[in-house]
Amino acid sequence: MNLLKIIFRSPRPAAVNDMRAEVSRLWRRKGYTAMTVFGRIFTSEQAVADHLNRRNDALKNHEMIHLRQAQSTGNSWFRFYFLYFWHSLLALRYWRKVKNAVYYLNPFEMEAYAHQHDLHYLDRCGDRGASEWRTFARMKLSQRKDFIESHCIGQ
């Protein structure tokens, strides 16, 4: 499906209960398996998409946390992606010190990685969405770096 159709026809995050995984030839990022885009999960392999559509495991939970984070940012995909991009820009200054710092020091990714193995985390979040990213966003970048290194995120 055309990316513009996905963007402009996507429902608000609160209207999405479960995200379907789809294969996209545009998604070929080495080291990353899947990506949430406006209420859909994109992956580069059909086997991964089939797995995500059948099972709720750590990878699916990670992507569903991003959905719930979008709910916590005013129920807006655009605000979620703006904040995601903003926090990625802030992490740029650590690009030489931390491998993939723009990704791993992003508070949205920190929350998703911290809770991806807890399949009941989203149940505990309730209707407000996943909002622990705000705690990570208030941390200094050096504290975030120490956190990801101590929790082996991205290593």
Side-chain angles (χ1 to χ4, degrees):
M1 183 180 254
N2 184 325
L3 183 60
L4 287 176
K5 285 183 183 178
I6 291 170
I7 291 170
F8 290 110
R9 290 185 180 174
S10 66
R12 294 178 81 57
V16 179
N17 294 323
D18 187 28
M19 293 190 295
R20 301 282 304 158
E22 300 177 17
V23 175
S24 172
R25 65 187 188 318
L26 300 175
W27 179 245
R28 299 275 185 212
R29 295 286 313 266
K30 185 176 180 179
Y32 301 100
T33 307
M35 178 178 157
T36 297
V37 178
F38 290 91
R40 294 170 188 237
I41 301 172
F42 287 106
T43 185
S44 62
E45 300 175 27
Q46 186 62 50
V48 174
D50 292 342
H51 174 83
L52 289 171
N53 289 329
R54 281 192 319 269
R55 298 193 57 221
N56 188 18
D57 61 1
L59 178 58
K60 175 81 177 235
N61 198 45
H62 179 101
E63 299 305 328
M64 291 299 292
I65 289 171
H66 290 315
L67 167 67
R68 299 298 296 275
Q69 289 168 337
Q71 292 172 357
S72 75
T73 58
N75 197 29
S76 167
W77 287 113
F78 291 105
R79 185 157 189 239
F80 170 73
Y81 288 118
F82 173 79
L83 290 170
Y84 190 101
F85 181 70
W86 174 253
H87 287 292
S88 295
L89 285 177
L90 294 176
L92 268 176
R93 70 180 203 208
Y94 274 90
W95 72 275
R96 288 185 183 206
K97 296 177 185 174
V98 178
K99 183 180 178 184
N100 296 322
V102 170
Y103 179 76
Y104 290 113
L105 295 178
N106 188 307
F108 293 105
E109 292 301 336
M110 292 176 71
E111 178 183 16
Y113 276 105
H115 297 290
Q116 70 183 4
H117 294 289
D118 180 0
L119 299 182
H120 299 289
Y121 176 68
L122 294 175
D123 297 333
R124 290 192 305 276
C125 288
D127 293 337
R128 72 184 189 285
S131 58
E132 189 177 335
W133 65 270
R134 288 183 170 101
T135 303
F136 291 118
R138 285 191 291 272
M139 296 169 90
K140 293 179 181 177
L141 282 170
S142 60
Q143 292 173 311
R144 289 189 218 169
K145 178 184 166 289
D146 293 343
F147 179 86
I148 64 164
E149 288 173 349
S150 67
H151 288 81
C152 298
I153 295 174
Q155 308 304 321

